[in-house]
Amino acid sequence: MKVVAINSSPRKESNTAQLINYVFEELEQEGVETELIKIGGKKIWGCRACYKCFQNRDRHCSIENDVLNECVDKMAAADGILLGSPTYFSNVNAEMKALIDRAGLVSSANGGMYQHKVGAAVTAVRRAGALPTFDAMNHFFLYNQMFVAGSSYWNLGIGLNPGDVANDEEGVNTMRNLGRNMAWLLKKIHS
């Protein structure tokens, strides 16, 4: 079993990446393979609403000069998808929004490429606004007929500067519980 994580934070040592790593540690202890893809700071365009994905039905977006199709291929091949975004003005950042819109449309055009996979979202936040961010990523999973893994609280960590989320004990425990719950759900689905 494999979980691929998409991190949309542009920071090199981001709090979002640290939260993903806490989840990964638990998944790996349970024997689940993990892979991190960083899209923050990379070129990823928003959806152009051309609907060529519905014409082509080739499991790719027609925009080929950015990282989206690589992400689509990795997500389609994985058993679980972990999305991580920092909170920007009470929502996902632009890179994550582009991924959600385009990868979701490609999935719809191709019969539901992520159906029955396990999904989970994590977000880093300075102070407030994380719930709409968390919600936006969970809507991606639900729209794509995925099973959403939960935790002991909302999957968020509080911190402004890189590394600050390590001081959020409840946030760290939430990520660790999420990793264990995601592994449990993956095992149940694949047994």
Side-chain angles (χ1 to χ4, degrees):
M1 291 174 291
K2 182 175 183 177
V3 170
V4 64
I6 311 290
N7 177 7
S8 66
S9 176
R11 288 183 169 176
K12 185 176 181 181
E13 300 294 329
S14 70
N15 284 315
T16 305
Q18 195 163 351
L19 295 174
I20 290 169
N21 284 333
Y22 290 130
V23 177
F24 273 7
E25 287 172 8
E26 299 301 321
L27 287 167
E28 290 164 0
Q29 283 184 359
E30 294 293 326
V32 178
E33 184 184 348
T34 61
E35 181 180 0
L36 177 65
I37 299 172
K38 184 172 171 30
I39 63 171
K42 292 185 179 178
K43 186 168 41 170
I44 182 165
W45 304 108
C47 183
R48 296 180 183 160
C50 67
Y51 291 95
K52 288 184 182 172
C53 53
F54 280 89
Q55 293 170 7
N56 299 336
R57 297 186 193 276
D58 62 358
R59 300 173 64 92
H60 279 155
C61 178
S62 65
I63 301 170
E64 297 179 350
N65 61 345
D66 68 3
V67 300
L68 188 276
N69 285 326
E70 173 190 350
C71 295
V72 167
D73 290 343
K74 297 278 187 176
M75 292 190 307
D79 302 294
I81 301 169
L82 180 62
L83 296 181
S85 175
T87 300
Y88 281 22
F89 288 89
S90 298
N91 214 318
V92 294
N93 66 358
E95 291 91 342
M96 183 56 69
K97 182 60 174 149
L99 178 109
I100 287 170
D101 290 348
R102 290 174 56 205
L105 202 58
V106 168
S107 175
S108 294
N110 289 278
M113 294 166 53
Y114 316 125
Q115 186 178 24
H116 299 149
K117 295 181 184 294
V118 175
V122 302
T123 185
V125 61
R126 178 188 63 83
R127 185 164 177 81
L131 291 184
T133 308
F134 179 60
D135 204 31
M137 292 182 281
N138 282 321
H139 284 145
F140 171 82
F141 302 134
L142 296 170
Y143 184 86
N144 283 286
Q145 302 178 59
M146 295 173 63
F147 303 111
V148 179
S151 187
S152 50
Y153 194 69
W154 308 125
N155 305 337
L156 62 94
I158 298 172
L160 174 62
N161 297 310
D164 282 354
V165 294
N167 299 319
D168 178 10
E169 185 178 337
E170 184 176 10
V172 171
N173 288 333
T174 299
M175 296 306 130
R176 294 199 182 285
N177 287 333
L178 176 62
R180 288 189 291 271
N181 290 343
M182 198 172 189
W184 182 88
L185 186 53
L186 283 163
K187 289 176 181 180
K188 289 294 182 183
I189 290 169
H190 293 282
S191 64

